[in-house]
């Protein structure tokens, strides 16, 4: 029997699924990311036939926060298959790849995010960090400076730029 679907193709959320989602979200609010990750994963495991892009995205970000980078990447990638222009997901996957030292892949995702949303400060910072890691220091400084132009109060950009300037001057 086919599960009921919404017009966008996603599955209807049952009361049981809604309760599981609420429990996982409550664990996040209670600053219990490990519990939230287990709850989101249990929900996905219990309903393999269902497409829950929001759950995959949330689990990806939770795993990223837990520094479980190899586990986070597939969740971001799965959601990006159906939502390729989602800037926060692109930046999340790029950050995940960056933490795994996949600099070129991370750069590609940051570039896509910046193409879609040119003023995205976190993407600018990530791009600068990737370039710095690959020894392209002047280009990295340029991205940190752009981030400061967009958000003059961005302390991360100030810190990254001042640290890098010590090595380039």
């Amino acid at each position: 029997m086919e599960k009921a679907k919404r017009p966008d193709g996603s599955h209807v959320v049952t009361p049981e699924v809604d309760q599981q989602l609420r429990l996982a979200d409550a664990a996040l609010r209670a600053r219990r990311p490990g519990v939230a990750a287990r709850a989101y994963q249990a929900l996905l495991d219990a309903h393999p036939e269902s497409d829950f892009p929001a759950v995959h995205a949330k689990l990806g970000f939770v795993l990223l926060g837990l520094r479980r980078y190899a586990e986070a990447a597939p969740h971001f990638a799965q959601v990006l298959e159906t939502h390729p222009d989602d800037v926060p997901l692109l930046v999340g996957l790029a950050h995940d790849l960056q933490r795994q030292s996949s600099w070129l892949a991370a750069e590609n995702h940051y570039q896509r995010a910046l193409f879609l949303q040119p003023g995205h400060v976190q993407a600018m910072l990530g791009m600068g960090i990737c370039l710095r890691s690959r020894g392209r220091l002047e280009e990295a400084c340029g991205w940190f400076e752009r981030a400061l132009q967009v958000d003059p109060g961005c302390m991360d950009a100030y810190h990254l730029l001042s640290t890098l300037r010590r090595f380039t001057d």
Side-chain angles (χ1 to χ4, degrees):
M1 182 171 114
E2 178 76 17
K3 297 274 186 182
K5 290 189 176 184
R6 294 185 178 119
D8 68 357
S10 64
H11 291 276
V12 174
V13 176
T14 64
E16 171 198 345
V17 169
D18 185 54
Q19 182 181 15
Q20 289 174 306
L21 283 171
R22 287 175 189 262
L23 289 172
D25 290 342
L28 274 181
R29 285 191 304 278
R31 294 192 169 104
R32 309 266 326 259
V35 173
R38 286 190 297 277
Y40 288 133
Q41 189 61 59
L43 178 61
L44 293 172
D45 292 345
H47 301 279
E49 76 287 350
S50 297
D51 180 27
F52 294 128
V55 176
H56 281 286
K58 287 180 180 186
L59 182 54
F61 283 111
V62 170
L63 292 170
L64 187 63
L66 291 170
R67 300 176 185 228
R68 292 164 52 186
Y69 307 117
E71 293 174 65
H75 292 285
F76 287 127
Q78 182 167 344
V79 180
L80 284 168
E81 286 179 17
T82 55
H83 300 87
D85 294 339
D86 188 310
V87 173
L89 287 173
L90 284 165
V91 172
L93 179 56
H95 182 74
D96 184 71
L97 292 166
Q98 177 183 318
R99 299 300 296 186
Q100 296 180 65
S101 300
S102 296
W103 307 114
L104 289 175
E107 266 186 58
N108 289 334
H109 289 290
Y110 283 130
Q111 285 174 344
R112 175 77 179 143
L114 288 164
F115 173 78
L116 294 168
Q117 192 175 336
H120 197 283
V121 172
Q122 292 303 314
M124 291 177 189
L125 296 176
M127 189 70 168
I129 291 168
C130 285
L131 291 167
R132 180 190 67 189
S133 297
R134 294 182 50 225
R136 296 166 56 188
L137 304 183
E138 285 302 321
E139 289 177 77
C141 285
W143 281 107
F144 300 145
E145 289 167 352
R146 285 185 196 116
L148 282 171
Q149 289 171 353
V150 173
D151 181 3
C154 181
M155 295 311 294
D156 288 337
Y158 277 113
H159 173 73
L160 289 164
L161 186 60
S162 67
T163 302
L164 195 54
R165 285 285 181 218
R166 282 188 263 163
F167 297 106
T168 59
D169 289 343

